[in-house]
Amino acid sequence: MFDGQVVITQDKFQLKADHAEFDTKSGGVHADGNVEVFDGENQLTGEELDFDINTRNGVVYTGTILIKKEGYHIEGEVLERLGETRYHLHNGFFTACELKQGISPDWHFKARDMDLDTNKDLIVKGAVLYVKAMPIMYIPYISYPAKKKSGLLTPSIAYSTTEGLKIKEGLYWAIADNHDATVSLDYRGDKGRGVDLEYRYLLSKDTGGKFDVKYFRDLDTESDRADLKFRHRQLITEDLQIKVDARYLSDSSIFRDLSDITEERIQRSIESNAIAANRFDDSFLYLLGRYTKALDEGGSLVPQKVPEIGYSIIEKRTPLIPVFYSVDMTGANLFEQEGIDAQRYDINARVGIGVDLSGLLVLTPSVDLRETIYSRGETSKDAIGREIYRASLEANTNVFKDINLSDNLHIRHIVEPSAIYEYIPDLDQSGIHIFDDLDRIPSKDLITYSLINRFIARYPSGEGGEVRRLEFLYIKMTQSYNRADQSPLSDLRLEAAIKPPAWLSIDVDSFYDLYEGRVSSFNSNLGVPLGKYLNLSIGQRYTKEGEIPKKGDIFNPFSLGEKVDMPEIRFLTWSASINPIAGLALSNTAYYDLFTDKFTEIDYALSYNPGCWWLSITYMDLPEKNQIFFLFGLKGLGILE
């Protein structure tokens, strides 16, 4: 007989109780008073216990099992332990909700008999589902997963004005700990029938992937439609890795006709690629295959790179003098389905000097030498070459001033002016077929200058007095001056980001045409997170019709020397979400085309998730159809995404 804080331990098994009787010969244990049993991950408690310490089987009266990883709470008037993971409960109770003293959980099951295997599932026969304290439904049989387990997922139900009733029901298959699969039936009453297969695998910490197959029999077009996607990543050594991202569509309109995802419906192309890259101390080598499929007109002339090999020496500085150099070399097989095929070999070497003028100004003169060879020309099958150079002189500096507004608030204002002059000679490149930007390098006699203003606040955050740094204001102005142009000034570009603590964010990227005296492009986004209850976001996209500056080139991503023709774009985006109470969310997203004065999409969503169950309703208003989605689930039962 033991009294007080009794503890009996054997390997991973531990028993705690106020009182215990232990027969050392038979291994029998009788315990009562705050009984707790720990055996692995899960915890067993009760008022009274009869146990065999050798087999670890026995009976717990008024017992409770807590499956910690999943947050499941299971009770029984009599709880029998039949094996390492198996239990039988008489007059049982089960919920995945958090329990509070004196308050019924949002939902729970009660049944005369329950069988639990903590490595598999909880089998309940003759169960009654309760919502709070009210019985709602009798369910003859339930299989609830105690760990990752194969079984049916919660179905997704929707209704569309053009597709009719839509039901998606999935079967989850837990093949093993490191790979699983989901098979889903896609039923659309007036549109057709389909099936989706998603297979996921993890071969090691750094190696894994996913394979998706979607097949749909379209009754409208009387055709079979398919969407195949494969992704794989593999780290062969610390320096060598392989990535594959491949996608195949049976036809170019499958997204517009079948997808419920906005980003897919407006997508203009898809890309498949595979890359193997090896990193060295100061360089890297890669082999790339890239294939692009256009989803609109002109797809047969989209250039493809299958394959491309490249080697780059990352910018290196010599140890004794401030000279740096870098080298990029590529070789690619280029082709168009209805165009021409060619091989292209390109090498670009850059050398420069960094001159620090007493910390006041850094000057960086540099020269790029580029040699490009093609296996054929635009009209001739004879090999053709191009030799070109770029000379540049860059100047950078920065100054700052600290402003102490109070003992706890300090602001640093940093000003960063910079300028770069670039010269590229005018070269006849008309004999070269254009596959991408590398095949047309325009002449340059260009000065690009910019001015950056940064405002960084430092203030204590939290009770520990930890100092937080926040860049709450960023403003950059950029312009290029083309010495060879009769209208030498490019549009003035303004980029700004305003992000004061917590309650507001503004991002702006705009262009102003000095000669026409008008804004040529204006993109903005205003975000207003009002605490945890309300979030607003308003965006604007505007581009005038005609020529606007092209952002950057293969030598300088910040220059504004070239111009490109653009159609007129006038668009507004809006999103809002409100969380009036914990777990409840209302949201609205809208896309409005100012050019046509029509909404291209409006979405409304209502979701409620108190923690152990959830309900969501989504309504989509599209030009060609309207549809509504319903989803309900209990914690522990998977849902379709």
Side-chain angles (χ1 to χ4, degrees):
M1 171 72 74
F2 301 94
D3 290 306
Q5 296 180 343
V6 181
V7 179
I8 300 174
T9 303
Q10 185 184 60
D11 298 328
K12 295 181 179 181
F13 176 86
Q14 187 180 77
L15 168 65
K16 294 182 179 181
D18 293 338
H19 314 283
E21 297 178 12
F22 180 35
D23 188 330
T24 56
K25 293 183 179 180
S26 66
V29 177
H30 175 81
D32 60 78
N34 298 314
V35 176
E36 296 183 7
V37 177
F38 299 90
D39 190 5
E41 297 181 356
N42 305 317
Q43 180 182 355
L44 174 62
T45 62
E47 295 181 358
E48 189 176 354
L49 172 147
D50 286 306
F51 230 59
D52 186 322
I53 197 70
N54 296 317
T55 64
R56 299 181 186 176
N57 295 337
V59 179
V60 179
Y61 302 95
T62 315
T64 300
I65 300 175
L66 177 62
I67 302 178
K68 293 183 178 180
K69 186 175 181 180
E70 305 295 341
Y72 297 161
H73 185 96
I74 305 168
E75 298 178 1
E77 287 185 7
V78 179
L79 193 157
E80 298 178 68
R81 192 177 195 272
L82 306 176
E84 185 176 350
T85 63
R86 294 173 52 242
Y87 299 85
H88 177 79
L89 298 90
H90 179 69
N91 288 339
F93 168 100
F94 166 74
T95 187
C97 299
E98 181 182 358
L99 292 182
K100 298 180 181 179
Q101 188 69 32
I103 301 176
S104 296
D106 289 342
W107 64 267
H108 65 274
F109 292 108
K110 284 185 178 181
R112 182 176 296 275
D113 293 292
M114 295 183 179
D115 291 293
L116 171 67
D117 188 329
T118 57
N119 278 340
K120 294 182 180 179
D121 53 16
L122 173 69
I123 302 297
V124 185
K125 298 177 181 178
V128 177
L129 172 63
Y130 286 75
V131 174
K132 291 296 186 180
M134 181 179 296
I136 297 298
M137 183 186 303
Y138 172 79
I139 305 175
Y141 181 88
I142 299 173
S143 175
Y144 210 89
K147 295 187 74 173
K148 186 170 74 169
K149 177 182 178 293
S150 303
L152 291 174
L153 303 177
T154 304
S156 171
I157 301 175
Y159 180 79
S160 167
T161 54
T162 59
E163 297 175 311
L165 179 64
K166 301 171 64 174
I167 301 176
K168 198 169 187 180
E169 175 61 78
L171 173 66
Y172 175 74
W173 182 17
I175 304 170
D177 289 340
N178 64 332
H179 57 127
D180 57 21
T182 303
V183 181
S184 306
L185 297 179
D186 185 358
Y187 171 86
R188 309 187 190 191
D190 298 333
K191 183 67 173 174
R193 317 287 184 266
V195 61
D196 300 348
L197 169 65
E198 183 176 341
Y199 171 71
R200 298 162 291 269
Y201 60 92
L202 186 64
L203 304 180
S204 68
K205 178 183 176 182
D206 300 301
T207 301
K210 184 169 68 170
F211 185 68
D212 296 337
V213 178
K214 295 182 179 180
Y215 165 79
F216 194 82
R217 177 60 183 176
D218 195 325
L219 299 179
D220 289 340
T221 61
E222 296 185 351
S223 61
D224 299 317
R225 314 183 78 174
D227 177 4
L228 283 69
K229 182 165 55 175
F230 174 63
R231 290 182 179 177
H232 177 81
R233 71 184 189 282
Q234 183 164 353
L235 192 66
I236 299 176
T237 68
E238 286 189 1
D239 298 318
L240 176 61
Q241 65 174 333
I242 295 174
K243 289 184 179 181
V244 178
D245 188 351
R247 193 157 194 177
Y248 167 80
L249 301 179
S250 60
D251 58 89
S252 59
S253 60
I254 188 171
F255 284 163
R256 292 192 297 272
D257 294 345
L258 299 179
S259 179
D260 294 320
I261 302 172
T262 302
E263 290 76 11
E264 287 189 341
R265 291 198 307 274
I266 64 175
Q267 203 164 326
R268 301 183 63 182
S269 65
I270 59 168
E271 180 181 297
S272 297
N273 60 74
I275 184 170
N278 194 89
R279 180 183 58 190
F280 304 99
D281 289 340
D282 53 9
S283 62
F284 65 91
L285 173 71
Y286 71 88
L287 177 65
L288 169 69
R290 176 182 293 153
Y291 185 86
T292 303
K293 177 180 175 62
L295 302 181
D296 51 15
E297 297 294 331
S300 60
L301 295 177
V302 174
Q304 315 294 346
K305 293 182 181 179
V306 184
E308 175 180 290
I309 187 170
Y311 178 72
S312 295
I313 298 175
I314 303 169
E315 185 175 294
K316 294 185 62 176
R317 297 185 179 272
T318 55
L320 299 178
I321 56 176
V323 175
F324 64 88
Y325 64 91
S326 63
V327 179
D328 296 298
M329 295 180 285
T330 63
N333 180 60
L334 306 165
F335 67 92
E336 299 165 340
Q337 290 181 353
E338 296 184 6
I340 68 172
D341 301 353
Q343 288 76 51
R344 182 179 68 194
Y345 308 94
D346 179 73
I347 179 171
N348 184 72
R350 186 185 187 201
V351 61
I353 302 174
V355 182
D356 189 342
L357 302 179
S358 302
L360 299 177
L361 184 68
V362 176
L363 293 177
T364 309
S366 65
V367 175
D368 290 77
L369 303 175
R370 177 162 243 132
E371 173 80 24
T372 311
I373 299 174
Y374 298 82
S375 62
R376 61 159 295 163
E378 174 74 55
T379 57
S380 169
K381 293 186 177 181
D382 296 331
I384 187 173
R386 179 191 63 192
E387 296 155 357
I388 200 166
Y389 72 89
R390 168 185 175 265
S392 68
L393 175 63
E394 187 172 359
N396 295 276
T397 188
N398 69 79
V399 295
F400 67 88
K401 179 178 178 60
D402 288 327
I403 305 170
N404 299 321
L405 298 181
S406 69
D407 292 338
N408 294 325
L409 180 58
H410 308 275
I411 294 177
R412 171 165 288 188
H413 178 201
I414 304 174
V415 180
E416 301 175 2
S418 66
I420 181 172
Y421 171 71
E422 302 171 89
Y423 178 80
I424 299 175
D426 190 7
L427 190 68
D428 182 11
Q429 303 170 68
S430 59
I432 298 173
H433 184 76
I434 300 177
F435 292 102
D436 56 32
D437 289 347
L438 179 58
D439 304 315
R440 280 295 183 275
I441 298 178
S443 62
K444 264 190 181 185
D445 191 358
L446 192 74
I447 301 172
T448 300
Y449 37 88
S450 67
L451 180 66
I452 298 176
N453 281 268
R454 304 178 188 267
F455 294 84
I456 302 172
R458 290 179 294 143
Y459 56 93
S461 176
E463 297 179 358
E466 180 181 351
V467 176
R468 183 181 178 188
R469 298 176 74 255
L470 174 67
E471 184 174 274
F472 64 91
L473 179 59
Y474 171 92
I475 302 174
K476 180 179 181 180
M477 291 184 291
T478 308
Q479 191 176 46
S480 289
Y481 181 87
N482 189 344
R483 286 162 38 94
D485 199 326
Q486 292 183 347
S487 302
L489 292 175
S490 74
D491 291 6
L492 178 64
R493 183 180 186 185
L494 171 66
E495 301 168 84
I498 305 172
K499 297 181 179 179
W503 60 273
L504 181 70
S505 66
I506 300 174
D507 292 286
V508 174
D509 187 358
S510 66
F511 288 84
Y512 184 79
D513 189 324
L514 298 172
Y515 296 105
E516 294 187 5
R518 57 175 290 189
V519 173
S520 55
S521 176
F522 188 85
N523 299 321
S524 64
N525 191 76
L526 169 66
V528 186
L530 300 177
K532 62 180 181 180
Y533 301 108
L534 179 63
N535 286 278
L536 300 176
S537 178
I538 302 173
Q540 181 184 17
R541 304 291 180 267
Y542 166 73
T543 301
K544 74 170 185 179
E545 183 179 10
E547 289 188 337
I548 65 168
K550 180 183 177 183
K551 302 175 186 177
D553 54 45
I554 62 173
F555 288 110
N556 182 357
F558 305 108
S559 69
L560 302 172
E562 294 184 76
K563 295 181 179 180
V564 292
D565 284 321
M566 291 291 293
E568 183 175 4
I569 300 173
R570 290 186 292 167
F571 223 85
L572 292 177
T573 62
W574 154 274
S575 67
S577 65
I578 183 171
N579 305 87
I581 60 175
L584 179 64
L586 303 168
S587 63
N588 170 235
T589 304
Y591 305 88
Y592 187 76
D593 190 340
L594 291 168
F595 191 74
T596 61
D597 289 330
K598 292 181 179 179
F599 283 99
T600 58
E601 181 175 340
I602 308 176
D603 300 338
Y604 306 90
L606 165 66
S607 64
Y608 183 62
N609 185 352
C612 60
W613 64 276
W614 57 87
L615 170 69
S616 70
I617 303 173
T618 303
Y619 176 77
M620 299 177 66
D621 185 355
L622 305 170
E624 69 277 7
K625 62 183 177 182
N626 299 326
Q627 53 191 17
I628 185 168
F629 297 86
F630 300 92
L631 186 62
F632 173 77
L634 300 178
K635 180 181 177 182
L637 295 180
I639 62 172
L640 287 171
E641 296 182 353

